[in-house]
């Protein structure tokens, strides 16, 4: 059974940095894609960054060059380093995992993914 628990959200001023972490269990032995999504009230959940089962990374255009996703070798922690934050990055960030998504986690319909964390709020003030 896959379990995902996020931490590290908070408030920061525009231009600042935050690091989110997701404690992951149950994804190490299978070919899970893992990643981060975000959602603001009234909008659809959108993919932010992902790591595919072969270790390749992908990013939403809006965060390329600012955000960096990483996973430890034991596949027990998934981090998202967020730099040069903008007010439009304000959202609840969710960790996700799916066994079938492969390289396409970011564009997979959120309601089809296998597992989600509870979310952590990031607020960026101008």
């Amino acid at each position: 059974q896959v379990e995902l628990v996020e931490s590290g959200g908070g408030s920061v001023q525009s231009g600042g940095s935050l690091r989110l972490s997701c404690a992951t269990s149950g994804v190490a032995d299978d070919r899970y894609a893992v990643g981060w999504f975000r959602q603001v009230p009234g909008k659809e959940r959108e993919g932010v960054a992902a790591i595919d089962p072969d270790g390749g990374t992908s990013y939403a255009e809006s965060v390329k060059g600012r955000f960096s996703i990483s996973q430890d070798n034991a596949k027990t922690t998934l981090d998202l380093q967020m730099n040069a934050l903008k007010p439009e990055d304000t959202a609840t960030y969710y960790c996700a995992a799916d066994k079938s998504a492969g390289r396409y986690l970011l564009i997979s319909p959120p309601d089809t993914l296998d597992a989600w964390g509870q979310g952590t709020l990031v607020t960026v003030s101008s």
Side-chain angles (χ1 to χ4, degrees):
Q1 183 177 352
V2 175
E3 292 189 3
L4 309 171
V5 180
E6 301 97 336
S7 61
S11 298
V12 65
Q13 288 192 328
S14 182
S17 298
L18 278 176
R19 188 176 184 88
L20 305 183
S21 289
C22 177
T24 63
S25 62
V27 301
D29 296 331
D30 290 303
R31 290 184 59 79
Y32 277 91
V34 290
W36 290 91
F37 286 68
R38 66 187 181 187
Q39 188 171 26
V40 297
K43 291 191 175 182
E44 293 186 356
R45 195 168 293 189
E46 63 173 1
V48 175
I51 297 179
D52 66 39
D54 296 315
T57 57
S58 56
Y59 296 90
E61 284 295 327
S62 60
V63 306
K64 278 184 179 178
R66 301 188 298 122
F67 290 12
S68 178
I69 190 171
S70 61
Q71 185 178 35
D72 68 320
N73 290 336
K75 297 187 177 182
T76 59
T77 304
L78 180 71
D79 290 340
L80 184 68
Q81 178 66 42
M82 305 185 295
N83 298 326
L85 283 161
K86 305 175 181 180
E88 51 264 43
D89 294 317
T90 295
T92 298
Y93 284 70
Y94 298 88
C95 182
D98 190 88
K99 193 184 296 188
S100 304
R103 294 180 294 167
Y104 306 107
L105 185 69
L106 290 191
I107 60 172
S108 298
D111 58 357
T112 67
L113 301 185
D114 291 337
W116 291 95
Q118 82 285 358
T120 186
L121 180 63
V122 172
T123 303
V124 184
S125 58
S126 58

